[in-house]
Amino acid sequence: MPRVSSGQWIALDVVGGRVAKGFSGSPLWDRERQAVVGVVVAEHGVGNARTTGATRADHDGHLNTSAVLQAMYAIGLPTIESELPELPPVAVPMAARGRQQLLAALEQLLPNPQSLAECTRWLSTRLGRATGDIAVTDPARLVGLAMGVRRGIPELLDVVRTHLSGRAPSPDPYGTPGWAHLLRVARVVSPREILTLRQQRDLTGLLAHCRTTDPTSLLRKVLPYADGLPAVSSPAHAMEVLEGYEAPAGQPMPPLLQGAVRVSLEERESGAHPSDDLDAWVDMAAARFGIPLAGVEQFRADVAAEARLPHRADAGHGPHAPRVQIELLPVAPGNRFTYQIWVWTDGGRHDVVLTQDTEVSSHHVVESIRHVLRTEVEEHPETALVEYFVASAWLRLEVDTWQCGENGPDGAFLPGITRRVVLRSSQRTRETYAGWKRRTKALAASRHLVLDGRSADPAVAQAVLEINPDAGVVIVCCDRQRQSSLLQQCIQAGVHTVLWHRHGDGEDIAAELVNLVEGVDHHGLPEAVRMERAKALACPESPVHHGRQLSLLHDGPDHRPPPLAPDAWTLTHPDRNHDTPEPRP
């Protein structure tokens, strides 16, 4: 608690915890300002402070100010900063990872002494460091200035960006040869910092006014694929964590900006004032990172739509059933597997609950599913949807026939007839995103499409899919040898749902599958297929019943495990050049 602040010194009363030997040089943190305001220098003990190290309280539990036992002295930050220009620059070793590459990149972008001298002068001014009377034209000196202070590398990049913007024909330096390489190398040298000191201070100041955002939930939304996330106590702390992560492939928005957009939207719902200022901060930061404003606006729209989805049930379908999702990794020839199991619920949960790293049989896979259903899922009022995520080459797996426990005390467990079992693709390439989104959106109104023996030629099949761009449900009925390539073509065309008979073709099978699909909403197809499988097993005298060999690919962009989910921004902008270097400050 502040006692007095005079000149160079700050004196504080210690009312909780203890100041001990070794604290000298520690930063002094102001919780209200969310900033460092000084450096600890010494402590002064009163009475028996050195033996008790605590603050006494009266019988009512109130602080007894006369019993404060310690005082702490610190040097204020302004005093420290005022002395920095007189200090010599830090000598930075150039043998650490990435530093020689940084030197080479700077020599390419700043090839003449005038450019080096100008950038060194600007950076020295920003950092409050003296350069002397002579112009400095050594790139090592420029790098040394940047690496001698915290957030020096982002400051260096901003200085070089400003210099290139004034020198290049276009004010945008992101087209300058060597600039993208400099950004990548800077991320290696300073992996946890992308904001300049001013950007970081402005953001921290805005986040101090944010009361609605839960920092832990924010991290999970922005980094659903990250393991071992640290505990965070505030939005500002969460942003420090996000700053150290790269943007996912195909997503131009770095996690830091994604987090700032989400905080702004959450605070806006509660009426808090920082939202408009946070949006302005994001727009300015994005411009410096080379991210188009249209991309930022689209990401905001995607996040806003995502926030509304949990509160809006699909028309006529009510709450969504829970999902047990198995990311299956078969080992050739396809009778041994490794896998991990995710659980998705309508309440927002989407977690890995079981991982199997050693190869096991399909019997063990089904045992794991039964265990997860019993321990992790609430199947009321509707049973869970069981989804197997596999690469397209393994869609031939007969997962709906797998079972376990035939001789066990609990009896046999056959998910193919007791649950809705579907296949989903674990791999959707970027060129499929446009068709995937279009066909998924048109599912409610589009008619089904049949690919039979006449589509055995790959060129014919592709042409049929092209002239039916809105068909989201496809029935494949052809020779078994051609099924795999046709399924692959359907996935490449962005088809949402494919139904096929694994061992049969011909007009009779095609007609039976068409009758099965007719009049059934695509949401109801997994249940319709489940019932056909059950009917087939209920008629052992009819071994050719079509329900015995039905496979259903029921696969949209939604409800996918985070590592397998395409980003919403990428789905909205599928034509963005994937080879463009990821922008950084």
Side-chain angles (χ1 to χ4, degrees):
M1 294 182 64
R3 177 191 291 178
V4 65
S5 179
S6 175
Q8 300 178 350
W9 294 93
I10 303 172
L12 303 101
D13 289 326
V14 179
V15 298
R18 182 177 179 179
V19 180
K21 183 178 180 180
F23 279 36
S24 297
S26 301
L28 187 63
W29 182 258
D30 188 316
R31 292 182 178 176
E32 291 186 1
R33 286 186 266 180
Q34 289 287 294
V36 173
V37 295
V39 173
V40 175
V41 174
E43 58 91 15
H44 176 64
V46 179
N48 62 346
R50 297 185 185 277
T51 58
T52 62
T55 301
R56 296 173 183 169
D58 58 25
H59 293 293
D60 297 326
H62 296 98
L63 180 67
N64 185 345
T65 56
S66 64
V68 173
L69 303 177
Q70 277 188 297
M72 181 173 67
Y73 299 94
I75 299 177
L77 200 59
T79 301
I80 298 172
E81 290 178 335
S82 68
E83 297 179 2
L84 288 179
E86 306 303 324
L87 298 176
V90 177
V92 179
M94 289 296 160
R97 184 185 178 205
R99 296 181 186 179
Q100 291 296 321
Q101 298 177 62
L102 187 62
L103 283 173
L106 286 172
E107 287 184 350
Q108 178 185 355
L109 288 168
L110 308 174
N112 56 69
Q114 293 78 13
S115 296
L116 278 170
E118 184 177 67
C119 289
T120 303
R121 184 172 65 254
W122 287 353
L123 184 61
S124 299
T125 302
R126 283 193 178 204
L127 302 179
R129 307 301 295 270
T131 59
D133 297 330
I134 60 172
V136 178
T137 58
D138 182 7
R141 175 70 178 275
L142 183 60
V143 172
L145 276 171
M147 299 192 64
V149 297
R150 187 167 184 260
R151 299 197 175 276
I153 294 297
E155 295 284 0
L156 170 63
L157 293 177
D158 202 49
V159 163
V160 175
R161 184 192 67 82
T162 303
H163 173 76
L164 295 178
S165 298
R167 188 187 69 180
S170 167
D172 180 11
Y174 288 88
T176 304
W179 174 249
H181 177 63
L182 176 64
L183 296 180
R184 288 192 293 271
V185 172
R187 194 62 167 171
V188 172
V189 175
S190 181
R192 298 195 61 82
E193 297 177 342
I194 62 174
L195 298 179
T196 64
L197 183 59
R198 180 175 178 178
Q199 287 175 321
Q200 191 267 343
R201 285 179 174 175
D202 289 347
L203 178 60
T204 300
L206 291 171
L207 294 174
H209 298 283
C210 298
R211 307 291 186 222
T212 302
T213 304
D214 175 40
T216 302
S217 175
L218 176 66
L219 282 186
R220 291 186 64 185
K221 289 177 181 177
V222 179
L223 301 173
Y225 49 83
D227 296 325
L229 290 174
V232 289
S233 57
S234 66
H237 189 187
M239 289 300 173
E240 290 182 9
V241 174
L242 293 176
E243 189 176 3
Y245 282 84
E246 297 275 0
Q251 165 60 276
M253 291 275 284
L256 176 72
L257 294 191
Q258 294 184 38
V261 168
R262 290 182 179 275
V263 171
S264 174
L265 289 172
E266 289 192 29
E267 297 297 324
R268 189 180 301 279
E269 291 181 0
S270 66
H273 79 83
S275 295
D276 290 336
D277 289 306
L278 270 173
D279 287 344
W281 183 92
V282 169
D283 291 345
M284 289 188 293
R288 288 179 177 267
F289 296 170
I291 301 171
L293 181 59
V296 178
E297 292 297 337
Q298 183 59 59
F299 183 80
R300 283 196 184 105
D302 290 337
V303 174
E306 171 192 311
R308 291 191 294 268
L309 284 176
H311 306 288
R312 183 192 67 203
D314 291 338
H317 293 278
H320 294 288
R323 297 170 184 245
V324 175
Q325 302 176 321
I326 307 95
E327 184 184 0
L328 197 64
L329 302 173
V331 179
N335 52 13
R336 306 286 290 179
F337 312 90
T338 60
Y339 55 91
Q340 62 180 355
I341 299 181
W342 298 71
V343 167
W344 179 94
T345 67
D346 202 31
R349 181 187 183 192
H350 206 171
D351 302 322
V352 174
V353 295
L354 191 149
T355 300
Q356 178 66 42
D357 293 326
T358 57
E359 300 172 12
V360 295
S361 66
S362 62
H363 178 94
H364 195 285
V365 177
V366 179
E367 284 281 10
S368 296
I369 294 172
R370 173 186 263 183
H371 173 75
V372 169
L373 287 170
R374 288 176 171 176
T375 60
E376 300 286 347
V377 178
E378 181 64 43
E379 292 191 287
H380 179 78
E382 193 172 359
T383 56
L385 180 65
V386 178
E387 302 177 318
Y388 287 90
F389 285 82
V390 296
S392 57
W394 296 103
L395 288 173
R396 59 180 172 81
L397 289 173
E398 301 180 5
V399 295
D400 55 281
T401 67
W402 291 358
Q403 58 182 311
C404 70
E406 296 88 341
N407 301 316
D410 295 333
F413 176 53
L414 183 58
I417 62 172
T418 62
R419 303 294 190 282
R420 291 159 297 157
V421 173
V422 300
L423 291 160
R424 299 189 67 174
S425 61
S426 61
Q427 299 170 327
R428 290 269 184 172
T429 56
R430 288 189 68 258
E431 59 267 24
T432 71
Y433 288 169
W436 199 13
K437 183 179 180 183
R438 181 182 63 247
R439 293 178 188 272
T440 301
K441 186 176 181 180
L443 272 172
S446 64
R447 289 185 55 80
H448 59 266
L449 176 67
V450 177
L451 295 179
D452 53 22
R454 293 170 293 182
S455 304
D457 186 323
V460 174
Q462 184 171 356
V464 172
L465 290 168
E466 287 295 323
I467 63 176
N468 293 275
D470 293 333
V473 178
V474 173
I475 296 170
V476 170
C477 188
C478 66
D479 181 79
R480 189 178 183 184
Q481 301 301 319
R482 281 285 302 134
Q483 287 178 0
S484 180
S485 59
L486 273 180
L487 292 172
Q488 178 64 34
Q489 284 186 281
C490 288
I491 290 176
Q492 288 298 313
V495 173
H496 180 289
T497 300
V498 183
L499 176 66
W500 72 99
H501 190 285
R502 293 187 290 266
H503 294 167
D505 58 356
E507 295 182 359
D508 292 342
I509 293 292
E512 289 175 344
L513 298 187
V514 169
N515 289 334
L516 176 60
V517 171
E518 284 288 353
V520 178
D521 181 86
H522 76 278
H523 289 290
L525 270 179
E527 176 64 14
V529 171
R530 181 185 77 87
M531 292 303 297
E532 289 300 308
R533 291 168 179 159
K535 291 176 183 177
L537 286 183
C539 298
E541 68 278 3
S542 178
V544 295
H545 192 290
H546 65 269
R548 294 182 183 276
Q549 298 295 336
L550 287 184
S551 286
L552 178 66
L553 175 75
H554 198 258
D555 186 39
D558 58 338
H559 305 119
R560 298 174 70 86
L564 308 180
D567 188 84
W569 197 95
T570 307
L571 280 174
T572 311
H573 292 76
D575 297 327
R576 180 176 172 85
N577 182 5
H578 186 60
D579 295 326
T580 301
E582 297 170 7
R584 301 184 184 91

